[in-house]
Amino acid sequence: KLNRYNIRRNVKACSYLTALAAPSKFMLGLHNNVNIKGQKFNEVIYNSVDFKKLPLSAEQIEQKENMVLYAGRLTEEKGILTLIKAVNELEGVRLLLIGRGELAERIKNENKVEVVDWMDRESLYTYMKKAKAVILPAEWDEAFGRILIEAIYNGTIGIGSDRGGIPEVLGFDEKYIFHAGDADGLRKRIERVISMSPIEYKEEIDRQQNMTSGFTDEKYVENWEKFFLQQLR
Protein backbone atom coordinates (compact mmCIF):
# COMPACT_ATOMS: atom_id res chain seq x y z
CA LYS A 1 0.00 0.00 0.00
CA LEU A 2 2.84 2.41 0.79
CA ASN A 3 4.43 1.67 -2.58
CA ARG A 4 1.15 2.34 -4.40
CA TYR A 5 0.72 5.60 -2.48
CA ASN A 6 4.19 6.75 -3.56
CA ILE A 7 3.45 5.75 -7.15
CA ARG A 8 0.30 7.86 -7.17
CA ARG A 9 2.26 10.84 -5.80
CA ASN A 10 4.87 10.53 -8.52
CA VAL A 11 2.64 9.40 -11.35
CA LYS A 12 3.17 12.62 -13.33
CA ALA A 13 6.44 11.20 -14.60
CA CYS A 14 4.45 8.42 -16.24
CA SER A 15 2.61 10.90 -18.43
CA TYR A 16 5.59 10.72 -20.76
CA LEU A 17 4.94 7.04 -21.55
CA THR A 18 4.03 6.42 -25.17
CA ALA A 19 3.28 2.73 -24.66
CA LEU A 20 3.05 0.19 -21.86
CA ALA A 21 3.30 -3.60 -21.99
CA ALA A 22 2.49 -6.04 -19.18
CA PRO A 23 2.63 -9.86 -18.87
CA SER A 24 -1.11 -10.22 -18.07
CA LYS A 25 -4.39 -8.31 -18.28
CA PHE A 26 -4.34 -8.21 -14.49
CA MET A 27 -0.95 -6.46 -14.39
CA LEU A 28 -1.92 -4.04 -17.13
CA GLY A 29 -5.08 -3.11 -15.24
CA LEU A 30 -3.14 -2.75 -11.98
CA HIS A 31 -0.87 -0.14 -13.58
CA ASN A 32 -3.68 1.61 -15.43
CA ASN A 33 -5.66 1.93 -12.19
CA VAL A 34 -2.92 4.13 -10.71
CA ASN A 35 -2.76 6.09 -13.95
CA ILE A 36 0.37 4.41 -15.30
CA LYS A 37 -0.54 3.90 -18.92
CA GLY A 38 0.76 4.42 -22.41
CA GLN A 39 -0.66 7.44 -24.14
CA LYS A 40 -1.02 5.52 -27.42
CA PHE A 41 -0.69 1.80 -26.70
CA ASN A 42 -1.41 -0.48 -23.77
CA GLU A 43 -0.68 -4.10 -24.62
CA VAL A 44 -0.64 -7.49 -22.91
CA ILE A 45 2.37 -9.55 -23.95
CA TYR A 46 2.18 -12.89 -22.17
CA ASN A 47 5.31 -14.68 -21.03
CA SER A 48 6.38 -17.84 -22.83
CA VAL A 49 8.04 -21.22 -22.44
CA ASP A 50 10.91 -22.29 -24.63
CA PHE A 51 9.98 -25.88 -25.47
CA LYS A 52 7.28 -27.73 -27.35
CA LYS A 53 4.23 -29.35 -25.82
CA LEU A 54 4.72 -32.98 -24.82
CA PRO A 55 1.90 -35.19 -26.15
CA LEU A 56 1.04 -38.08 -23.82
CA SER A 57 -0.62 -41.41 -24.48
CA ALA A 58 -3.18 -42.93 -22.10
CA GLU A 59 -0.55 -45.55 -21.24
CA GLN A 60 1.94 -42.87 -20.15
CA ILE A 61 -0.73 -41.16 -18.09
CA GLU A 62 -1.51 -44.44 -16.35
CA GLN A 63 2.08 -44.50 -15.10
CA LYS A 64 1.75 -41.14 -13.31
CA GLU A 65 1.92 -41.22 -9.52
CA ASN A 66 -0.84 -40.07 -7.15
CA MET A 67 1.24 -37.01 -6.41
CA VAL A 68 0.74 -33.25 -6.69
CA LEU A 69 3.64 -30.85 -7.02
CA TYR A 70 4.46 -27.26 -6.18
CA ALA A 71 7.68 -25.51 -7.22
CA GLY A 72 8.70 -22.08 -5.95
CA ARG A 73 9.25 -20.15 -2.74
CA LEU A 74 8.04 -21.92 0.40
CA THR A 75 6.33 -18.96 2.08
CA GLU A 76 2.85 -18.31 3.44
CA GLU A 77 1.82 -15.84 0.73
CA LYS A 78 2.43 -18.58 -1.82
CA GLY A 79 -0.43 -20.57 -0.27
CA ILE A 80 1.74 -23.45 0.95
CA LEU A 81 -0.20 -24.01 4.18
CA THR A 82 -3.50 -24.08 2.29
CA LEU A 83 -2.03 -26.62 -0.13
CA ILE A 84 -0.80 -28.85 2.71
CA LYS A 85 -4.21 -28.73 4.39
CA ALA A 86 -5.95 -29.68 1.15
CA VAL A 87 -3.68 -32.67 0.50
CA ASN A 88 -3.89 -33.88 4.11
CA GLU A 89 -7.63 -34.37 3.59
CA LEU A 90 -7.05 -36.70 0.62
CA GLU A 91 -6.42 -40.42 0.89
CA GLY A 92 -3.49 -41.89 -1.00
CA VAL A 93 -2.17 -38.57 -2.34
CA ARG A 94 1.23 -37.14 -1.52
CA LEU A 95 2.60 -33.65 -1.96
CA LEU A 96 6.03 -32.77 -3.32
CA LEU A 97 7.26 -29.24 -2.58
CA ILE A 98 10.31 -28.12 -4.54
CA GLY A 99 12.04 -24.94 -3.40
CA ARG A 100 13.30 -22.94 -0.45
CA GLY A 101 11.82 -20.48 2.00
CA GLU A 102 10.95 -19.65 5.56
CA LEU A 103 8.44 -22.53 5.84
CA ALA A 104 10.85 -25.26 4.69
CA GLU A 105 11.95 -26.42 8.15
CA ARG A 106 8.47 -26.08 9.63
CA ILE A 107 6.73 -28.28 7.05
CA LYS A 108 9.33 -30.89 6.18
CA ASN A 109 7.98 -33.32 8.80
CA GLU A 110 4.34 -32.87 7.81
CA ASN A 111 2.42 -36.02 6.94
CA LYS A 112 2.26 -36.74 3.18
CA VAL A 113 4.67 -33.86 2.44
CA GLU A 114 8.13 -34.18 0.90
CA VAL A 115 10.33 -31.10 0.64
CA VAL A 116 13.11 -31.08 -1.96
CA ASP A 117 15.66 -28.32 -2.49
CA TRP A 118 15.62 -26.32 -5.72
CA MET A 119 17.03 -28.12 -8.76
CA ASP A 120 17.87 -27.58 -12.42
CA ARG A 121 15.05 -27.20 -14.90
CA GLU A 122 15.38 -30.63 -16.52
CA SER A 123 15.18 -32.37 -13.15
CA LEU A 124 12.14 -30.27 -12.26
CA TYR A 125 10.45 -31.27 -15.51
CA THR A 126 11.12 -34.94 -14.76
CA TYR A 127 9.23 -34.59 -11.48
CA MET A 128 6.44 -32.66 -13.21
CA LYS A 129 5.84 -35.51 -15.66
CA LYS A 130 5.38 -37.95 -12.76
CA ALA A 131 2.77 -35.80 -10.99
CA LYS A 132 -0.98 -35.80 -11.61
CA ALA A 133 -1.21 -32.04 -11.04
CA VAL A 134 0.99 -28.99 -10.50
CA ILE A 135 -0.52 -26.46 -8.10
CA LEU A 136 0.00 -22.70 -7.88
CA PRO A 137 -1.97 -21.82 -4.71
CA ALA A 138 -0.80 -18.20 -4.40
CA GLU A 139 -2.47 -15.96 -1.85
CA TRP A 140 -0.91 -12.83 -3.30
CA ASP A 141 -1.18 -11.39 -6.80
CA GLU A 142 1.03 -13.35 -9.18
CA ALA A 143 1.87 -11.38 -12.31
CA PHE A 144 1.49 -14.42 -14.56
CA GLY A 145 1.99 -18.04 -13.44
CA ARG A 146 4.60 -19.48 -15.80
CA ILE A 147 5.02 -22.66 -13.72
CA LEU A 148 1.53 -23.73 -14.78
CA ILE A 149 2.41 -23.39 -18.46
CA GLU A 150 5.55 -25.45 -17.91
CA ALA A 151 3.48 -28.14 -16.20
CA ILE A 152 0.82 -28.24 -18.91
CA TYR A 153 3.42 -28.39 -21.68
CA ASN A 154 5.02 -31.32 -19.81
CA GLY A 155 1.72 -33.17 -19.89
CA THR A 156 0.51 -32.43 -16.35
CA ILE A 157 -2.72 -30.67 -15.43
CA GLY A 158 -2.36 -27.23 -13.81
CA ILE A 159 -4.48 -25.95 -10.92
CA GLY A 160 -4.23 -22.42 -9.53
CA SER A 161 -5.82 -19.85 -7.24
CA ASP A 162 -7.82 -16.86 -8.41
CA ARG A 163 -5.14 -14.29 -7.60
CA GLY A 164 -3.40 -11.99 -10.08
CA GLY A 165 -2.81 -13.29 -13.58
CA ILE A 166 -3.26 -16.98 -12.72
CA PRO A 167 -6.85 -17.30 -14.01
CA GLU A 168 -5.75 -15.97 -17.41
CA VAL A 169 -3.15 -18.71 -17.73
CA LEU A 170 -5.86 -21.32 -17.04
CA GLY A 171 -8.34 -19.78 -19.43
CA PHE A 172 -10.63 -18.76 -16.52
CA ASP A 173 -11.69 -22.42 -16.28
CA GLU A 174 -13.37 -22.82 -12.87
CA LYS A 175 -12.66 -26.56 -12.84
CA TYR A 176 -9.01 -25.66 -12.23
CA ILE A 177 -9.30 -22.35 -10.38
CA PHE A 178 -10.11 -22.08 -6.67
CA HIS A 179 -10.54 -19.14 -4.32
CA ALA A 180 -7.19 -18.31 -2.68
CA GLY A 181 -6.99 -19.71 0.84
CA ASP A 182 -9.89 -22.13 0.30
CA ALA A 183 -8.38 -25.52 1.17
CA ASP A 184 -11.67 -27.34 0.59
CA GLY A 185 -12.07 -25.85 -2.88
CA LEU A 186 -8.51 -26.84 -3.74
CA ARG A 187 -9.02 -30.33 -2.32
CA LYS A 188 -12.07 -30.89 -4.54
CA ARG A 189 -10.15 -29.89 -7.65
CA ILE A 190 -7.19 -32.13 -6.80
CA GLU A 191 -9.54 -35.00 -5.99
CA ARG A 192 -11.26 -34.62 -9.34
CA VAL A 193 -7.96 -34.80 -11.23
CA ILE A 194 -6.62 -37.73 -9.19
CA SER A 195 -9.79 -39.75 -9.81
CA MET A 196 -9.76 -39.31 -13.61
CA SER A 197 -9.29 -42.35 -15.80
CA PRO A 198 -6.28 -42.21 -18.16
CA ILE A 199 -8.63 -41.46 -21.07
CA GLU A 200 -10.36 -38.65 -19.16
CA TYR A 201 -7.00 -37.26 -18.08
CA LYS A 202 -5.74 -37.27 -21.67
CA GLU A 203 -8.82 -35.37 -22.83
CA GLU A 204 -8.28 -32.74 -20.15
CA ILE A 205 -4.54 -32.28 -20.64
CA ASP A 206 -5.06 -32.09 -24.42
CA ARG A 207 -7.62 -29.34 -23.80
CA GLN A 208 -5.29 -27.42 -21.45
CA GLN A 209 -2.44 -27.72 -23.95
CA ASN A 210 -4.63 -26.37 -26.75
CA MET A 211 -5.83 -23.54 -24.48
CA THR A 212 -2.23 -22.51 -23.72
CA SER A 213 -0.91 -22.87 -27.27
CA GLY A 214 -0.23 -19.12 -27.51
CA PHE A 215 2.43 -19.05 -24.78
CA THR A 216 5.32 -19.90 -27.10
CA ASP A 217 8.61 -18.09 -27.73
CA GLU A 218 7.54 -17.53 -31.33
CA LYS A 219 4.35 -15.77 -30.26
CA TYR A 220 6.25 -13.81 -27.58
CA VAL A 221 8.78 -12.46 -30.11
CA GLU A 222 6.03 -11.74 -32.64
CA ASN A 223 4.08 -9.69 -30.08
CA TRP A 224 7.14 -7.64 -29.05
CA GLU A 225 8.03 -6.94 -32.68
CA LYS A 226 4.49 -5.75 -33.30
CA PHE A 227 4.62 -3.62 -30.14
CA PHE A 228 7.83 -1.83 -31.16
CA LEU A 229 6.79 -1.41 -34.80
CA GLN A 230 3.65 0.41 -33.60
CA GLN A 231 5.90 3.03 -32.01
CA LEU A 232 7.67 3.70 -35.31
CA ARG A 233 4.56 4.48 -37.29
Side-chain angles (χ1 to χ4, degrees), residues 26-72:
F26 169 80
M27 288 300 293
L28 189 63
L30 193 66
H31 284 77
N32 289 171
N33 287 341
V34 293
N35 207 31
I36 299 176
K37 58 183 68 176
Q39 300 305 307
K40 293 184 178 179
F41 303 104
N42 289 276
E43 303 286 348
V44 174
I45 300 180
Y46 288 113
N47 291 331
S48 65
V49 292
D50 58 357
F51 64 94
K52 303 297 182 182
K53 292 177 287 185
L54 175 68
L56 292 183
S57 66
E59 290 74 21
Q60 289 172 310
I61 292 168
E62 196 167 6
Q63 295 173 7
K64 283 178 171 285
E65 302 175 15
N66 275 356
M67 173 183 75
V68 295
L69 179 149
Y70 164 87

Side-chain angles (χ1 to χ4, degrees), residues 3 5 10 14 20 30 61 66 80 114 127 130 134 137 141 170 180 193 201 214 226-227:
N3 187 45
Y5 170 75
N10 296 289
C14 296
L20 176 69
L30 193 66
I61 292 168
N66 275 356
I80 302 302
E114 180 182 358
Y127 278 108
K130 294 177 182 179
V134 170
D141 291 330
L170 295 171
V193 170
Y201 192 100
K226 179 181 176 182
F227 179 79

Side-chain angles (χ1 to χ4, degrees), residues 106-155:
R106 174 178 165 186
I107 62 181
K108 69 178 182 181
N109 295 319
E110 286 273 352
N111 185 35
K112 299 184 181 180
V113 178
E114 180 182 358
V115 179
V116 179
D117 200 359
W118 199 245
M119 60 188 64
D120 63 83
R121 182 182 293 186
E122 291 307 312
S123 298
L124 171 61
Y125 289 170
T126 298
Y127 278 108
M128 276 185 177
K129 291 168 188 173
K130 294 177 182 179
K132 284 281 184 71
V134 170
I135 319 294
L136 183 52
E139 293 174 13
W140 76 316
D141 291 330
E142 297 279 353
F144 180 64
R146 177 190 164 100
I147 193 74
L148 293 174
I149 303 299
E150 292 177 301
I152 292 167
Y153 276 34
N154 272 294

